[in-house]
Amino acid sequence: MEEELKCPVCGSLFREPIILPCSHNVCLPCARTIAVQTPDGEQHLPPPLLHSRGSALSSGAAAAPPLDQEAAAGPACGGAGGSAAGGLGGGAGGGSDHADKLSLYSETDSGYGSYTPSLKSPNGVRVLPMVPAPPGSSAAAARGAACSSLSSSSSSITCPQCHRSASLDHRGLRGFQRNRLLEAIVQRYQQGRGAAPGTSAATAVAICQLCDRTPPEPAATLCEQCDVLYCAACQLKCHPSRGPFAKHRLVQPPPPPPSEVASGSPGAVQGAPSGSGGCKSPGATGAGAAGGNTARKYPTCPEHEMENYSMYCLSCRTPVCYLCLEEGRHGKHEVKPLGAMWKQHKAQLSQALNGVSDKAKEAKEFLVQLKNILQQIQENGLDYEACLVAQCDALVDALTRQKAKLLTKVTKEREHKLKMVWDQINHCTLKLRQSTGLMEYCLEVIKENDPAGFLQISDALIKRVQVSQEQWVKGALEPKVSAEFELTLDSEPLLQAIHQLDFIQMKCRVPPVPLLQLEKCCTRNNSVTLAWRTPPFTHSPVDGYILELDDGDGGQFREVYVGKETLCTIDGLHFNSTYNARVKAFNSSGVGPYSKTVVLQTSDVAWFTFDPNSGHRDIILSNDNQTATCSSYDDRVVLGTAAFSKGAHYWELHVDRYDNHPDPAFGVARASVVKDMMLGKDDKAWAMYVDNNRSWFMHCNSHTNRTEGGVCKGATVGVLLDLNKHTLTFFINGQQQGPTAFSHVDGVFMPALSLNRNVQVTLHTGLEVPTNLGRPKLSGN
């Protein structure tokens, strides 16, 4: 899990991590070093100014902003101005309007912007060089100049992992949310490893971060909103209790965490820059970092810093407070309760972890299998060598030279197999270590009870876990070589054939019996899916497979698939039927034996929706393709996703809207039915069309059997298709409409509907065949 807790820039455990828009994390001190300015008009500078930029930088930082400006910029910098000034550079000074701006060079090969010369972090990420403060200027002035420069021109930061760039607003790095959850996990991890003996946090003193004195004064207060430590004098100058700071909460500064005190570094206690170029602001010390002595500080809304998160915005995928919904940009977004989304995302992450856990278990078993293969290869190799030596020694002096050649072949074969297996072991071990680290990290995340903190990183973690599960692709946990040596030595030939003595390759045989993967075989509605694989340690090549299926009534098998794939789905079967399936392999030597027979049961009733691919382009579908309407005044046809060839099936359509007495039609049709006219006007459809008073049966543009009873808004139309009795029956509000005779040839029929823009209907499926519907009300023609 330690790899999950390391910053991609500095390579150390996260310190004050912030969440970038791409969901990756980076230390706040490291973020200052990789944030770059992109000043307007930079490309228009004249060459003399571009060449003299270094001197302009030194002179430009001479004039520092006022203290109130520095205090306002302090939260964006986060204390310890040495690294901030070095990372951002620039200042507000005299000279030309462009003389105080740094040149930004775009490196299209890496996706990062950096200055030259540049430093490199342990992970190879380019970091801005440190810019020393001018003589006579204080650290606070340099920090204020840096933050002022950052806020006065457009700045950006590039994620060191996915290389996506994000622009900084007027708040600078404070615009990114602090990952308190990751911070707490890092703290627990450090405490679990144990602190240095004999250390005590009580002896450490927090130091003011804005002091010009040497040494700095002890901190007297901590601003929870600014995350900055102030002594009494600096608090009066930089953070007065009026104006925009009136609502800020000032508290007593807590002691630094034990890990920092144990290190014995003054920079760790005072918030000075560390060896990696970062700075330690009081955010860590003010967030319950004192070994559990203080409560952890939960994140607050960055837009309204006095408010806690209470809802989750589905559009922006971020926690929000109630003021964001009343006054902010989330007012019209869809939101859900924070606790409900917390539980939902926890469940999704746990479900994804189960898949990775299963793969990790398979990987461990696979590693045991590979190690057994190693032992078998060693043993079999020694056996083959002994046998070969015995045979060659019996063939007198003429076999000596040939024996050496044959031994070389065996050795090469063994080394090749060993290398292949070791490569698989190393590759699988690496993947397993990565998956195990991710699992441990995710389990620590799930233990957290902070909904907002969890939801800040849950989306990214769920995607990572799903990607980790997908890396175990088909065949990844199968050995690439077998432990057997396919070499046979023939010692019977005469002495004259000794110099042609060589290994005889094993003759090609018919393929073995395929193994059905029952865990992947399934049924859905009237379709079945079968999966199989070749047994391990198979020496015979396989050119393809033949899948056979019976007729659902225990009849003869028939071929339904021939090819090289090991997964096949067969559609258009009978509902409520039991099918037997089997598969066999073939190659140039012939056809292998059949596999075991698998029994598959199709659904009793049909679940289906309207098919957006088969409907006319004027048909409009909604409600997960269960509700249909039309954008045209002309009748348009849409089909269902199910296909029937046997059995009895029943479905209903609810009339949601019925204006101006149109004539919708309900029934069944072939897949090739005409889609731009009323259902039943061609010979590919059988339908009942109905108005607000009567209904008619229509086929081949002939309407007969008029029946009293029409539809209106709220009516329910039932369709009963019985292919065993050759009947098609219609019902309106439970009342049967007209005769039920349905003359048709054998084939496949799909539910169908035609309507225009005056009608809207909703489909209801998965219904049992009714037995208590009413009889028809017939009328004259």
Side-chain angles (χ1 to χ4, degrees):
M1 184 180 68
E2 184 173 355
E3 294 298 324
E4 300 289 335
L5 306 180
K6 288 185 177 180
C7 172
V9 178
C10 63
S12 303
L13 295 179
F14 279 109
R15 297 168 300 155
E16 309 169 59
I18 59 175
I19 305 176
L20 299 179
C22 58
S23 297
H24 290 124
N25 298 281
V26 67
C27 294
L28 180 59
C30 297
R32 297 191 185 101
T33 65
I34 63 175
V36 293
Q37 294 184 14
T38 54
D40 300 332
E42 176 68 27
Q43 66 274 20
H44 303 298
L45 288 179
L49 288 181
L50 291 174
H51 291 298
S52 62
R53 198 183 312 271
S55 59
L57 173 65
S58 300
S59 61
L67 287 177
D68 55 349
Q69 181 181 355
E70 178 189 350
C77 295
S83 65
L88 298 174
S96 172
D97 292 338
H98 302 285
D100 62 334
K101 296 182 179 180
L102 293 177
S103 177
L104 177 64
Y105 296 92
S106 174
E107 299 184 1
T108 56
D109 58 332
S110 65
Y112 292 101
S114 65
Y115 299 107
T116 303
S118 65
L119 306 177
K120 283 194 175 181
S121 72
N123 287 0
V125 179
R126 295 184 182 273
V127 181
L128 299 184
M130 301 285 288
V131 178
S137 63
S138 65
R143 177 170 58 258
C147 296
S148 175
S149 176
L150 177 60
S151 60
S152 62
S153 60
S154 59
S155 305
S156 65
I157 184 172
T158 301
C159 176
Q161 290 184 274
C162 64
H163 303 289
R164 294 183 182 178
S165 296
S167 299
L168 305 181
D169 57 14
H170 66 282
R171 298 174 296 174
L173 294 175
R174 288 189 66 235
F176 298 128
Q177 296 185 17
R178 185 91 159 266
N179 195 337
R180 305 282 184 180
L181 180 60
L182 177 58
E183 210 168 341
I185 294 176
V186 170
Q187 178 188 344
R188 285 206 309 267
Y189 180 75
Q190 290 175 326
Q191 292 175 352
R193 292 193 303 180
T199 60
S200 172
T203 60
V205 178
I207 302 301
C208 175
Q209 294 182 285
L210 298 180
C211 257
D212 295 336
R213 302 172 182 83
T214 305
E217 293 289 330
T221 182
L222 165 68
C223 177
E224 288 190 340
Q225 282 67 42
C226 300
D227 258 355
V228 176
L229 291 167
Y230 301 95
C231 65
C234 290
Q235 188 263 322
L236 292 175
K237 290 192 301 182
C238 304
H239 199 287
S241 300
R242 62 181 184 276
F245 300 110
K247 294 184 178 181
H248 287 204
R249 183 182 178 188
L250 301 176
V251 297
Q252 289 294 328
S259 58
E260 293 184 0
V261 179
S263 65
S265 171
V269 178
Q270 299 180 9
S274 63
S276 61
C279 60
K280 195 69 176 176
S281 77
T285 61
N293 294 332
T294 58
R296 207 170 92 212
K297 178 182 175 183
Y298 289 99
T300 56
C301 177
E303 301 286 342
H304 313 91
E305 296 182 343
M306 300 299 293
E307 300 298 333
N308 292 327
Y309 292 119
S310 59
M311 302 294 288
Y312 183 77
C313 177
L314 298 179
S315 302
C316 303
R317 307 184 74 85
T318 183
V320 295
C321 69
Y322 81 96
L323 288 180
C324 293
L325 303 180
E326 295 181 355
E327 306 171 0
R329 56 188 177 90
H330 303 278
K332 297 183 179 180
H333 292 180
E334 182 181 0
V335 296
K336 286 190 176 181
L338 193 66
M341 293 303 297
W342 172 44
K343 294 180 180 179
Q344 178 182 339
H345 281 225
K346 268 199 173 183
Q348 292 178 2
L349 181 57
S350 299
Q351 184 178 3
L353 273 178
N354 289 336
V356 177
S357 177
D358 293 340
K359 290 300 180 182
K361 182 179 178 181
E362 292 181 21
K364 291 179 181 178
E365 296 173 354
F366 179 60
L367 285 175
V368 174
Q369 181 184 1
L370 289 178
K371 291 178 181 179
N372 291 335
I373 292 176
L374 277 177
Q375 183 177 357
Q376 294 176 14
I377 290 176
Q378 293 284 5
E379 294 174 356
N380 292 338
L382 294 174
D383 292 343
Y384 267 85
E385 286 184 2
C387 179
L388 181 61
V389 170
Q391 289 178 339
C392 291
D393 287 343
L395 296 178
V396 286
D397 297 340
L399 296 177
T400 303
R401 291 185 297 271
Q402 197 70 16
K403 179 177 66 175
K405 297 180 181 178
L406 297 176
L407 283 173
T408 302
K409 287 191 176 183
V410 173
T411 303
K412 288 183 177 179
E413 181 72 7
R414 182 183 63 195
E415 291 177 351
H416 172 69
K417 289 179 177 289
L418 291 174
K419 182 179 181 302
M420 293 290 289
V421 175
W422 274 117
D423 289 345
Q424 273 195 284
I425 289 179
N426 294 334
H427 183 65
C428 185
T429 302
L430 177 61
K431 283 188 175 181
L432 179 61
R433 184 168 65 249
Q434 293 173 348
S435 298
T436 304
L438 180 59
M439 288 171 55
E440 293 175 355
Y441 173 61
C442 291
L443 290 174
E444 287 295 324
V445 171
I446 291 179
K447 293 178 184 177
E448 282 299 310
N449 294 323
D450 175 14
F454 180 85
L455 291 174
Q456 287 176 339
I457 64 174
S458 58
D459 283 324
L461 277 182
I462 291 171
K463 292 179 182 178
R464 288 189 57 194
V465 171
Q466 292 172 346
V467 171
S468 177
Q469 182 179 358
E470 293 171 0
Q471 74 176 348
W472 302 98
V473 296
K474 183 177 72 174
L477 298 182
E478 294 180 0
K480 293 183 178 179
V481 296
S482 67
E484 301 295 330
F485 282 67
E486 300 177 2
L487 306 170
T488 303
L489 183 64
D490 186 4
S491 59
E492 296 298 328
L494 298 175
L495 187 61
Q496 293 81 0
I498 288 179
H499 293 289
Q500 283 120 28
L501 187 63
D502 201 348
F503 290 106
I504 298 176
Q505 296 291 331
M506 186 178 294
K507 293 183 178 179
C508 182
R509 298 177 295 183
V510 296
V513 179
L515 299 179
L516 286 168
Q517 295 182 280
L518 299 180
E519 68 277 5
K520 296 183 180 179
C521 298
C522 61
T523 62
R524 183 181 182 275
N525 267 346
N526 60 336
S527 65
V528 298
T529 299
L530 296 110
W532 60 90
R533 64 182 177 90
T534 303
F537 311 117
T538 299
H539 307 297
S540 301
V542 176
D543 294 338
Y545 301 92
I546 300 174
L547 176 63
E548 295 182 355
L549 203 68
D550 68 359
D551 59 358
D553 289 327
Q556 295 292 324
F557 282 91
R558 68 187 191 280
E559 292 184 1
V560 294
Y561 172 75
V562 178
K564 296 183 178 181
E565 297 296 329
T566 58
L567 183 71
C568 181
T569 298
I570 303 98
D571 300 316
L573 303 178
H574 302 315
F575 283 88
N576 195 22
S577 300
T578 301
Y579 286 88
N580 298 299
R582 63 188 184 184
V583 65
K584 59 184 177 180
F586 63 87
N587 59 16
S588 57
S589 298
V591 179
Y594 284 105
S595 67
K596 294 181 179 180
T597 301
V598 62
V599 180
L600 299 167
Q601 173 73 37
T602 55
S603 301
D604 295 338
V605 295
W607 297 85
F608 60 91
T609 62
F610 292 119
D611 186 4
N613 298 319
S614 66
H616 193 277
R617 62 178 177 272
D618 293 336
I619 293 293
I620 302 173
L621 300 180
S622 59
N623 188 25
D624 293 331
N625 295 333
Q626 292 179 326
T627 300
T629 185
C630 182
S631 61
S632 172
Y633 285 105
D634 297 324
D635 292 310
R636 300 292 187 245
V637 174
V638 61
L639 303 178
T641 55
F644 305 117
S645 58
K646 179 184 175 183
H649 311 280
Y650 178 76
W651 62 94
E652 292 181 348
L653 300 107
H654 184 268
V655 180
D656 303 325
R657 181 168 54 83
Y658 187 82
D659 303 329
N660 301 325
H661 309 303
D663 299 330
F666 312 87
V668 296
R670 309 279 195 186
S672 57
V673 66
V674 179
K675 307 293 195 316
D676 57 357
M677 60 184 182
M678 179 182 288
L679 192 68
K681 285 196 173 185
D682 62 355
D683 60 348
K684 300 295 192 301
W686 295 258
M688 174 192 72
Y689 79 93
V690 59
D691 59 15
N692 61 325
N693 292 318
R694 299 177 182 85
S695 64
W696 294 264
F697 181 78
M698 175 173 282
H699 175 62
C700 289
N701 203 22
S702 174
H703 52 92
T704 58
N705 303 321
R706 187 180 71 180
T707 306
E708 294 297 331
V711 296
C712 61
K713 180 180 178 181
T716 299
V717 178
V719 181
L720 174 59
L721 173 65
D722 192 338
L723 295 174
N724 298 328
K725 298 180 180 180
H726 298 275
T727 59
L728 178 63
T729 310
F730 302 96
F731 304 88
I732 298 179
N733 296 328
Q735 189 69 33
Q736 181 176 334
Q737 299 295 110
T740 61
F742 175 40
S743 301
H744 69 279
V745 296
D746 292 334
V748 177
F749 303 89
M750 289 175 286
L753 165 73
S754 70
L755 72 169
N756 60 25
R757 68 183 303 167
N758 294 317
V759 185
Q760 176 178 303
V761 299
T762 297
L763 178 65
H764 298 278
T765 62
L767 305 176
E768 297 287 347
V769 175
T771 57
N772 56 349
L773 295 173
R775 305 303 302 167
K777 295 180 180 180
L778 300 178
S779 66
N781 292 331

